[in-house]
Amino acid sequence: MALTFRRATEVDIPQIAALSAADFGPEFHDEADFSSVIRAGVVFVVCDGPRLVAVGQAFVDTASPDRPWEIREIVVHPNHRLQGLGRRLLDLLLGNAPPRCTTAIGLAVTEDGRRFAEATGFVLAEGLRFTRPLERKAA
């Protein structure tokens, strides 16, 4: 079956939470938190038929003075990794950053996440925090 990329809706939240919890642990299963990101940020999902197999989430970090575009999470189901889904989700998230954002940041909490961050142009800033400038395409 062909994979489809689309914006997430509230209906996707249980599958998003389950995918995230499977990758990061049960403490990352807060459906209310996912709902707030869908309302305030940008969330894309990848579906294989009715099954959600990847998710990417981003929002403006209003707690930071420079208000960077926070890549909150990119999770790809283990059976669908190494197919470019994470990179495609990252491209969608970066392409949807508000014009006022000039920097993207993200956290790499796993070794795979660290490798992905480095392979996609992020540079370690401190601790588990990675950063990279947002590149804007000329109109």
Side-chain angles (χ1 to χ4, degrees):
M1 185 169 280
L3 298 176
T4 57
F5 287 73
R6 62 172 173 78
R7 282 200 184 241
T9 67
E10 296 282 332
V11 173
D12 297 314
I13 291 174
Q15 286 191 76
I16 292 170
L19 183 63
S20 184
D23 208 43
F24 295 116
E27 64 274 16
F28 291 93
H29 187 96
D30 184 355
E31 291 189 13
D33 188 40
F34 292 116
S35 180
S36 67
V37 175
I38 286 174
R39 286 191 311 277
V42 174
V43 182
F44 287 97
V45 294
V46 182
C47 296
D48 185 359
R51 190 165 151 253
L52 192 144
V53 297
V55 61
Q57 306 176 45
F59 62 95
V60 176
D61 181 359
T62 57
S64 179
D66 59 344
R67 298 183 180 261
W69 188 234
E70 173 93 29
I71 307 300
R72 179 176 190 260
E73 172 178 76
I74 295 176
V75 178
V76 178
H77 187 279
N79 293 344
H80 288 81
R81 290 185 181 158
L82 302 175
Q83 298 175 30
L85 299 182
R87 283 182 186 265
R88 288 180 62 191
L89 282 169
L90 179 62
D91 288 345
L92 284 169
L93 294 171
L94 294 176
N96 280 273
R100 69 181 179 275
C101 293
T102 59
T103 303
I105 60 172
L107 299 176
V109 296
T110 65
E111 184 61 25
D112 286 343
R114 185 191 62 75
R115 283 194 300 271
F116 178 77
E118 290 171 347
T120 55
F122 283 81
V123 177
L124 183 63
E126 61 179 278
L128 298 172
R129 198 168 186 84
F130 285 76
T131 184
R132 77 177 246 191
L134 278 170
E135 300 163 2
R136 304 289 179 177
K137 294 186 172 146

